């Protein structure tokens, strides 16, 4: 069996990758509708609705449960990883985004000079998620996994 066939038959991997991809495309479409302009950074960037991090790890966890059972170590590892990723997205990363927004507004009013250079690059503000964004990503990821399982396996 060649490597590409093995990859395409790996339900856990395909579920996780498609969960991430669909979440990123949805995030880009939602951003485009809300802001009435296309932002290519949304296709690969973090933050926003739905959480692609949550979609990815929940797809991974659901597929691990379907393939190996919920009593397996694969499911256990995926589940713990999902909890850590989603907690981090709503906690530390969300706070980092809030701080970046505040610092950007301060620096806009009072440019900061570091070693003779003016700090001109804005800090990334879209790095974390609200609980709703994380929940939407989780539902999307789990739903994608069950759809893939139903349609292809």
């Amino acid at each position: 069996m060649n490597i590409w066939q093995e990859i395409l038959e790996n339900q856990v991997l395909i579920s996780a990758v498609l969960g991430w991809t669909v979440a990123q495309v949805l995030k880009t479409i939602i951003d485009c509708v809300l802001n009435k302009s296309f932002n290519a950074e949304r296709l690969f960037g973090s933050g926003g609705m739905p959480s692609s991090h949550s979609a990815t790890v929940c797809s991974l966890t659901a597929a691990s449960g379907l393939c190996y059972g919920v009593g397996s170590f694969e499911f256990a590892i995926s589940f713990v990883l999902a909890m850590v990723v989603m907690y981090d997205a709503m906690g530390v990363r969300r706070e980092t985004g809030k701080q970046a927004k505040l610092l950007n507004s301060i620096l806009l009013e009072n440019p900061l000079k570091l070693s003779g250079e003016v700090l001109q690059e804005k800090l990334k503000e879209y790095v974390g998620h609200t609980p709703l964004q994380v929940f939407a990503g989780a539902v999307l990821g789990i739903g994608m996994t069950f759809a893939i399982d139903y349609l292809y396996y």
Side-chain angles (χ1 to χ4, degrees):
M1 187 181 294
N2 74 40
I3 191 168
W4 292 110
Q5 187 175 357
E6 286 184 40
I7 289 172
L8 292 173
E9 290 176 356
N10 186 331
Q11 182 178 358
V12 176
L13 177 62
I14 295 300
S15 294
V17 170
L18 284 178
W20 178 84
T21 303
V22 170
Q24 287 298 119
V25 169
L26 283 174
K27 182 188 305 190
T28 304
I29 292 169
I30 291 168
D31 183 72
C32 191
V33 168
L34 292 176
N35 295 315
K36 297 178 178 55
S37 66
F38 176 73
N39 180 359
E41 193 273 331
R42 296 285 44 183
L43 278 172
F44 299 101
S46 59
M49 170 68 101
S51 166
S52 57
H53 289 87
S54 296
T56 304
V57 294
C58 285
S59 291
L60 181 74
T61 302
S64 293
L66 287 172
C67 290
Y68 306 112
V70 294
S72 67
F73 78 91
E74 291 93 346
F75 177 79
I77 291 169
S78 300
F79 183 84
V80 171
L81 174 68
M83 294 299 104
V84 170
V85 167
M86 292 188 294
Y87 178 80
D88 181 63
M90 290 186 294
V92 175
R93 287 182 42 239
R94 185 171 178 209
E95 290 303 313
T96 300
K98 289 178 183 178
Q99 292 170 5
K101 194 173 207 171
L102 176 63
L103 287 171
N104 284 336
S105 69
I106 291 169
L107 289 173
L108 185 64
E109 295 172 13
N110 304 306
L112 178 65
K113 289 189 178 186
L114 297 173
S115 303
E117 292 184 36
V118 176
L119 184 63
Q120 295 176 350
E121 188 176 327
K122 282 182 70 176
L123 300 169
K124 289 185 180 181
E125 296 177 7
Y126 294 109
V127 292
H129 294 285
T130 65
L132 178 62
Q133 293 168 340
V134 169
F135 179 75
V139 169
L140 173 66
I142 293 167
M144 285 287 305
T145 297
F146 282 103
I148 290 166
D149 185 63
Y150 178 76
L151 294 173
Y152 298 104
Y153 297 101

